[in-house]
Amino acid sequence: MCIRDSNTRALSTKATYLIILCHNEFMKYNTSEISNILHNGDTITKISILSSMSETTDLVIIREIISMLDDKEKRVRGEAFSTLFLNDNNISDILISNLTNKSKNIRGFCALILANKQETNSINSLINLTKDTSAIVRSCAFGALGHLRAKTASKEIHLGIFDSNVEVKKSASYALILINEEFLDGEIIELEKQEDPEFRKILKKIVK
């Protein structure tokens, strides 16, 4: 339950004012200057400028924001994720194109952003990621496909149960549940072999 009072409204108003303030502050910079700040600025400055960019339609700036998904600082990566997710403009094509980025962080984060934005046009590209060399990316891909209820990816998701990585197995298992696919006997046996206690929770959901 959400409880709102005068203090909450005051904080909300203050937060909105700060966002507008940041937006106005960074509006004076051109694209080149913004790029320089994102790549060479300190963490606080990066986060501040990213938080002001959620409405941009500038593809150059959007590419720069995407590049921040691979920043060394976790807080910057998180802010870049939020900025892209909150952008209501049509940025799906540039996000999809980055599913083949050389950075595993960018590939994985873009998969999750597309899923959270309900971009079903990304399903075929996400299916390709289920064979990615990075376990983190494969896990994100299965999670994204499950979130999108991508029944067309059922074959790949079934195969994910037998992935060599435990986290990928979990992600594929939850994805199968989300698309309402039945687990095959061999898949149930594979999950029963796992020592991680989370698999017991998954098995309770699928074994009647």
Side-chain angles (χ1 to χ4, degrees):
M1 182 172 65
C2 180
I3 301 174
R4 297 181 65 85
D5 56 22
S6 58
N7 289 332
T8 303
R9 286 192 293 272
L11 286 171
S12 178
T13 302
K14 184 177 181 181
T16 302
Y17 173 74
L18 288 173
I19 289 170
I20 293 171
L21 201 63
C22 285
H23 179 72
N24 291 337
E25 170 68 17
F26 290 112
M27 280 291 287
K28 65 186 181 184
Y29 294 116
N30 62 36
T31 300
S32 177
E33 289 169 330
I34 290 172
S35 175
N36 183 57
I37 292 170
L38 288 176
H39 287 282
N40 301 306
D42 59 71
T43 296
I44 299 302
T45 305
K46 287 181 181 181
I47 289 172
S48 295
I49 198 167
L50 285 168
S51 68
S52 72
M53 295 286 127
S54 61
E55 296 179 4
T56 186
T57 58
D58 187 323
L59 290 180
V60 175
I61 294 298
I62 292 170
R63 288 191 187 94
E64 294 293 350
I65 297 169
I66 289 173
S67 73
M68 292 297 99
L69 294 170
D70 197 37
D71 193 86
K72 62 182 180 180
E73 172 59 51
K74 183 178 180 180
R75 289 177 294 168
V76 174
R77 298 196 300 271
E79 192 63 44
F81 184 100
S82 297
T83 299
L84 292 165
F85 170 65
L86 292 171
N87 191 319
D88 289 330
N89 297 300
N90 185 7
I91 61 171
S92 64
D93 285 347
I94 192 167
L95 290 171
I96 291 171
S97 70
N98 274 281
L99 293 177
T100 57
N101 194 286
K102 65 180 181 179
S103 163
K104 65 182 180 182
N105 283 336
I106 291 178
R107 297 197 302 276
F109 277 128
C110 283
L112 296 178
I113 294 167
L114 286 161
N116 279 284
K117 290 169 80 69
Q118 293 296 318
E119 298 287 359
T120 55
N121 60 325
S122 67
I123 288 174
N124 287 338
S125 296
L126 290 169
I127 288 174
N128 292 333
L129 281 193
T130 62
K131 306 179 188 71
D132 198 271
T133 56
S134 166
I136 292 173
V137 176
R138 296 198 302 277
S139 182
C140 289
F142 284 122
L145 290 166
H147 188 78
L148 290 170
R149 306 301 193 271
K151 293 187 76 68
T152 54
S154 61
K155 177 183 175 182
E156 288 77 12
I157 298 173
H158 276 286
L159 290 173
I161 300 295
F162 300 97
D163 195 277
S164 60
N165 182 274
V166 172
E167 295 304 318
V168 177
K169 286 179 187 288
K170 289 180 191 176
S171 188
S173 298
Y174 284 120
L176 272 187
I177 293 170
L178 287 171
I179 66 172
N180 294 315
E181 278 280 310
E182 286 191 14
F183 284 69
L184 303 176
D185 290 343
E187 294 165 351
I188 293 173
I189 291 170
E190 179 67 19
L191 298 185
E192 288 174 337
K193 294 178 185 176
Q194 308 307 311
E195 297 180 359
D196 190 313
E198 191 169 346
F199 285 103
R200 289 198 289 273
K201 296 178 184 177
I202 294 170
L203 287 164
K204 284 182 180 179
K205 293 177 182 287
I206 63 177
V207 178
K208 306 299 182 183

